[in-house]
């Protein structure tokens, strides 16, 4: 009998990983990195050798690191089979995994300098650029909607999840000793209100559904209200004589924010003189979105073109890409009138930490949080009202105003998740994954008690029969 084991993202929103075992094959669904502090780093370093040597194939729903960031580690530990993803996801993985390897190498370089001085053993990165090269060579891109056999008894179809470019709902049909069993994994379901992305596809048939629950306990604020609040924050920052910092996820969120800033600019509601995209990876992904505009929501792009008379990449004339470190450092001399968009989205690394160091202590500045902040991340600490933070060796007082704008989320909210779950015919069993306990439990309870859906909460390393 086919079975599924939960190897990650149970009670948390990072580190997605699930093992499907059939009578003839072993399939790994997702291979995400864990994010959020020292414990996460320790978890990412654990050996994947047993999985690597026993798994026949890997399926990836989309390119975010919490779903695909440990693929090079799996390959480094011995995996040599195919990695199935959409064609756009493959293009994103090339950008994201190379960036992750680069950041790791720099972090390890600094760490080892300290270790050498302290006479402690040196450490190696979780993976290197060579591991990324080997990983990309194993990737097998597939279009949406075309079934394909990925092992001798598992058929895969990708459907548009509407989350980021290339994101997919994973639809698996397993031949279980002559009996067909149907497993659907939501991946990360998109927010139908988001610009640029299509509405998530609605599968109708499944025996078992793995469903993300990131926002299982709340709905997002309506987008129109969120945009109005953003416009007011920008106006207030202009009156205060400060800067606006936006820690943004390089994939999806950054492009959505640029779209809305472009619309505000052409409505005459963007008082700032300069918008900096200070994220080498964010720049690469923005350029990829522009190249792949055929895969985006044409209605939104048409509205932007009508407002600006320009294509996506030229719709915000005050936008400046800062690729080089020297250009990034120069931004810190600007005391007012700038919007600075920089990674990482949870402030766990990247250039945003430098900008926070130079801007957090000034009360005229504003920080706009536009995405989910995992427990243990600096972004979560700011949202929770911390008064002082340590940044790049210095303790910095938090005097800037912190704003949280949930309406920009690329994830479906509670009501949208419930609606998607209710779209299935028959009575599939739902398992809540990829959500912190409060959100996961709330969604499971709501599905059970108000909609009669068999919704369950799996434990880490729990195995279920299909």
């Amino acid at each position: 009998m086919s079975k599924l084991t939960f190897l990650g993202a149970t009670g948390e929103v990072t580190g997605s990983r699930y093992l499907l075992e059939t009578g003839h094959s072993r399939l790994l669904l997702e291979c995400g990195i864990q994010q959020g502090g020292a414990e996460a780093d320790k978890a990412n370093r654990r050996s994947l050798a047993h999985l690597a040597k026993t798994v026949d194939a890997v399926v990836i729903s989309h390119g975010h690191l919490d779903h695909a960031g440990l693929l090079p580690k799996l390959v480094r530990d011995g995996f040599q089979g195919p990695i199935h993803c959409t064609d756009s996801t493959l293009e994103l993985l090339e950008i994201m995994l190379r960036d992750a390897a680069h950041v790791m190498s720099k972090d390890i370089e600094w760490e080892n300098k300290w270790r050498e001085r302290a006479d402690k053993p040196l450490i190696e990165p979780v993976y290197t650029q060579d591991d990324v090269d080997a990983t990309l060579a194993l990737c097998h891109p597939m279009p949406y909607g075309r079934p394909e056999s990925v092992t001798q008894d598992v058929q895969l179809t990708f459907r548009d999840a509407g989350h980021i470019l290339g994101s997919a709902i994973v639809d698996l049909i397993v031949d279980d000793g002559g009996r067909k069993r149907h497993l659907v994994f939501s991946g990360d379901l998109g927010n139908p209100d988001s610009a640029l992305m299509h509405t998530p596809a609605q599968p109708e048939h499944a025996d078992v559904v793995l469903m993300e629950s990131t926002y299982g306990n709340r709905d997002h604020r309506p987008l129109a209200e969120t945009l109005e609040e953003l416009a007011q924050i920008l106006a207030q920052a202009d009156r205060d004589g400060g800067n606006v910092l936006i820690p943004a996820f390089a994939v999806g969120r950054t492009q959505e924010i640029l779209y809305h800033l472009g619309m505000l600019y052409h409505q005459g509601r963007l008082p700032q003189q300069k918008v900096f995209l200070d994220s080498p990876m964010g720049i690469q992904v923005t350029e990829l979105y522009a190249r792949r505009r055929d895969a985006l929501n044409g209605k939104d792009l048409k509205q932007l073109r009508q407002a600006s008379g320009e294509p996506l990449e030229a719709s915000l004339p005050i936008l400046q890409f800062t690729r080089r470190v020297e250009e990034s450092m120069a931004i810190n001399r600007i005391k007012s009138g700038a919007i600075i968009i920089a990674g990482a989205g949870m402030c766990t690394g990247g250039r945003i930490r430098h900008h926070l160091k130079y801007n957090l202590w000034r009360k005229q500045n504003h920080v706009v949080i536009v995405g989910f902040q995992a427990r243990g991340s600096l972004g979560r600490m700011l949202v929770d009202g911390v008064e002082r933070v340590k940044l790049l060796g210095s303790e910095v007082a938090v005097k800037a105003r912190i704003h949280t704008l949930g309406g920009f989320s690329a994830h479906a909210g509670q009501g949208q998740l419930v609606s998607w779950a209710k779209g299935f015919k028959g009575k599939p069993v739902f398992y809540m994954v990829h959500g912190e306990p409060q959100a996961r439990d709330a969604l499971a309870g709501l599905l059970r008690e108000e909609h009669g859906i068999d919704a369950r909460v799996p434990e880490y390393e729990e195995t279920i029969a299909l």
Side-chain angles (χ1 to χ4, degrees):
M1 180 179 287
S2 299
K3 58 184 181 178
L4 182 79
T5 303
F6 299 87
L7 298 178
T10 51
E12 59 181 334
V13 296
T14 67
S16 284
R17 196 185 313 156
Y18 318 97
L19 177 64
L20 174 62
E21 298 173 271
T22 73
H24 300 283
S25 57
R26 287 164 57 91
L27 183 73
L28 190 64
L29 178 56
E30 311 282 73
C31 193
I33 205 164
Q34 288 197 27
Q35 298 165 311
E39 286 302 311
D41 184 61
K42 189 186 301 182
N44 293 329
R45 290 184 172 279
R46 292 188 192 119
S47 174
L48 297 177
H50 177 70
L51 275 179
K53 291 166 185 173
T54 59
V55 164
D56 299 296
V58 177
V59 175
I60 297 297
S61 68
H62 66 284
H64 275 148
L65 293 180
D66 56 337
H67 291 258
L70 274 191
L71 282 173
K73 166 73 170 164
L74 187 73
V75 172
R76 183 186 182 100
D77 286 355
F79 178 72
Q80 296 183 332
I83 299 169
H84 299 274
C85 59
T86 66
D87 48 2
S88 293
T89 292
L90 175 53
E91 291 191 76
L92 279 175
L93 286 177
E94 181 162 4
I95 296 170
M96 299 192 72
L97 295 179
R98 290 196 192 288
D99 182 81
H102 173 73
V103 170
M104 283 179 195
S105 70
K106 292 297 182 185
D107 287 347
I108 292 298
E109 187 178 321
W110 281 103
E111 173 80 5
N112 280 339
K113 284 181 180 178
W114 170 82
R115 285 176 169 270
E116 199 167 26
R117 288 195 299 269
D119 199 26
K120 291 181 176 289
L122 304 185
I123 59 174
E124 293 185 351
V126 176
Y127 53 80
T128 66
Q129 295 289 354
D130 288 342
D131 300 317
V132 173
D133 291 340
T135 300
L136 296 172
L138 296 175
C139 288
H140 176 76
M142 294 171 52
Y144 290 128
R146 189 181 73 193
E148 186 168 320
S149 294
V150 292
T151 69
Q152 68 182 93
D153 53 359
V154 180
Q155 183 187 80
L156 164 67
T157 306
F158 284 128
R159 308 189 191 283
D160 194 344
H163 176 58
I164 61 170
L165 184 68
S167 62
I169 296 164
V170 177
D171 192 322
L172 298 171
I173 295 179
V174 180
D175 184 350
D176 192 17
R179 182 183 65 157
K180 302 292 186 185
R181 302 300 288 169
H182 200 160
L183 170 66
V184 170
F185 171 48
S186 67
D188 281 355
L189 289 176
N191 181 349
D193 286 343
S194 294
L196 305 181
M197 294 294 105
H198 297 109
T199 299
Q202 177 63 70
E204 294 184 345
H205 303 287
D207 296 302
V208 173
V209 180
L210 303 189
M211 185 170 171
E212 70 118 323
S213 54
T214 311
Y215 288 95
N217 60 340
R218 60 195 187 276
D219 282 312
H220 302 307
R221 192 177 184 187
L223 182 60
E225 293 180 15
T226 299
L227 290 173
E228 182 58 33
E229 184 176 358
L230 174 62
Q232 291 178 10
I233 292 168
L234 298 178
Q236 185 62 52
D238 182 55
R239 290 192 293 270
D240 291 343
N243 294 322
V244 178
L245 273 62
I246 305 179
F249 298 89
V251 182
R253 204 63 47 86
T254 290
Q255 293 72 43
E256 298 256 341
I257 293 298
L258 290 176
Y259 168 87
H260 290 301
L261 290 177
M263 294 294 286
L264 288 172
Y265 176 87
H266 292 286
Q267 293 165 6
R269 304 191 70 193
L270 188 63
Q272 280 70 27
Q273 292 86 47
K274 206 72 178 174
V275 176
F276 295 97
L277 177 51
D278 189 28
S279 164
M281 181 167 65
I283 293 168
Q284 289 183 70
V285 174
T286 300
E287 292 170 337
L288 173 60
Y289 267 60
R291 291 197 304 272
R292 294 301 306 269
R293 63 171 61 88
D294 59 314
L296 303 176
N297 189 329
K299 179 183 175 183
D300 293 322
L301 293 178
K302 184 178 179 181
Q303 287 180 340
L304 182 59
R305 182 181 284 273
Q306 288 173 339
S308 66
E310 300 287 350
L312 176 65
E313 61 272 28
S315 60
L316 186 55
I318 61 173
L319 173 63
Q320 180 177 330
F321 289 167
T322 51
R323 301 176 196 268
R324 295 184 295 112
V325 172
E326 295 79 8
E327 294 173 316
S328 175
M329 293 171 66
I331 297 173
N332 292 322
R333 295 197 290 268
I334 300 173
K335 302 304 180 187
S336 66
I339 298 173
I340 305 164
I341 305 169
M346 296 185 192
C347 309
T348 51
R351 294 182 177 180
I352 191 64
R353 294 175 72 91
H354 292 267
H355 297 304
L356 288 170
K357 179 178 179 178
Y358 284 91
N359 287 273
L360 263 184
W361 56 274
R362 299 175 64 231
K363 64 182 181 180
Q364 58 265 58
N365 292 333
H366 295 251
V367 178
V368 181
I369 303 292
V370 295
F372 186 86
Q373 305 298 311
R375 287 175 298 182
S377 67
L378 174 58
R380 181 66 163 264
M381 293 166 62
L382 293 174
V383 169
D384 289 343
V386 67
E387 295 184 355
R388 303 185 72 84
V389 295
K390 193 163 187 179
L391 285 165
L392 308 175
S394 301
E395 195 163 286
V396 179
V398 181
K399 299 294 185 183
R401 289 188 59 185
I402 311 297
H403 309 267
T404 303
L405 295 184
F408 286 125
S409 177
H411 285 265
Q414 184 189 68
Q416 295 156 343
L417 291 169
V418 169
S419 179
W420 188 80
K422 289 170 61 180
F424 283 84
K425 297 177 179 178
K427 291 186 177 293
V429 179
F430 284 75
Y431 289 88
M432 303 295 105
V433 296
H434 211 270
E436 292 184 351
Q438 188 176 3
R440 173 200 65 187
D441 297 347
L443 182 60
L446 182 61
L447 291 175
R448 281 194 307 265
E449 295 159 19
E450 294 193 20
H451 302 284
I453 292 173
D454 187 352
R456 306 178 186 182
V457 175
E459 299 294 332
Y460 177 65
E461 293 189 330
E462 179 180 342
T463 298
I464 62 167
L466 292 187

